Amino acid sequence: MAAAQLRAVVVGTAAGCANTLFWKVNQWVMIHLFHCRMILTYHMWWVCIFNWNSVIENLGLLHFIVLFSGLFAVTLILNPYWTYKKTQQLLSPTDWNFENKATENGNFNGETHRKKRI
């Protein structure tokens, strides 16, 4: 099966599932869980701020940097982006793993050149 035919089959299958109730419920559950994770990260900030003296006393510098850089990244960058992307996928169903994106050499994502056989 050629790569273009395989891509059409996979994209058609993914797009066909988007009309099912199971797929829509799954998207709503995932969006809800992203919101729950946001509440959890806000709670972690709350606990760290209100126990600041204990955090400073008990965490080493490396652990402090890792904890707060990760918490910062998840709270302000990753959670909003993931929630936005899942909401967009719910409103306009596409399978982003198999989008037809051309690269600079004219091939589709993941497509390789075939070697000529003699």
Side-chain angles (χ1 to χ4, degrees):
M1 187 179 281
Q5 291 172 332
L6 179 62
R7 187 172 27 259
V9 168
V10 172
V11 171
T13 304
C17 292
N19 295 327
T20 63
L21 178 64
F22 177 77
W23 188 87
K24 290 179 182 178
V25 168
N26 182 40
Q27 294 299 309
W28 278 109
V29 167
M30 287 174 42
I31 292 169
H32 175 70
L33 290 176
F34 287 147
H35 284 97
C36 291
R37 184 171 47 200
M38 290 175 82
I39 292 169
L40 178 65
T41 57
Y42 298 150
H43 176 71
M44 289 175 68
W45 278 109
W46 178 272
V47 168
C48 287
I49 290 170
F50 280 92
N51 296 301
W52 188 253
N53 291 333
S54 296
V55 169
I56 297 296
E57 290 174 8
N58 296 314
L59 280 181
L61 179 62
L62 180 62
H63 291 100
F64 182 85
I65 291 170
V66 169
L67 172 72
F68 284 102
S69 62
L71 197 55
F72 175 81
V74 168
T75 303
L76 298 178
I77 299 168
L78 296 175
N79 272 341
Y81 177 73
W82 289 331
T83 305
Y84 165 76
K85 291 299 274 186
K86 276 296 152 191
T87 305
Q88 289 300 321
Q89 192 174 22
L90 175 68
L91 299 176
S92 60
T94 56
D95 191 351
W96 294 320
N97 296 321
F98 297 100
E99 278 185 319
N100 292 335
K101 291 183 179 178
T103 60
E104 63 268 358
N105 63 2
N107 289 336
F108 290 109
N109 188 16
E111 201 172 86
T112 59
H113 291 289
R114 291 183 181 237
K115 293 183 179 180
K116 292 182 180 179
R117 291 189 157 173
I118 298 175

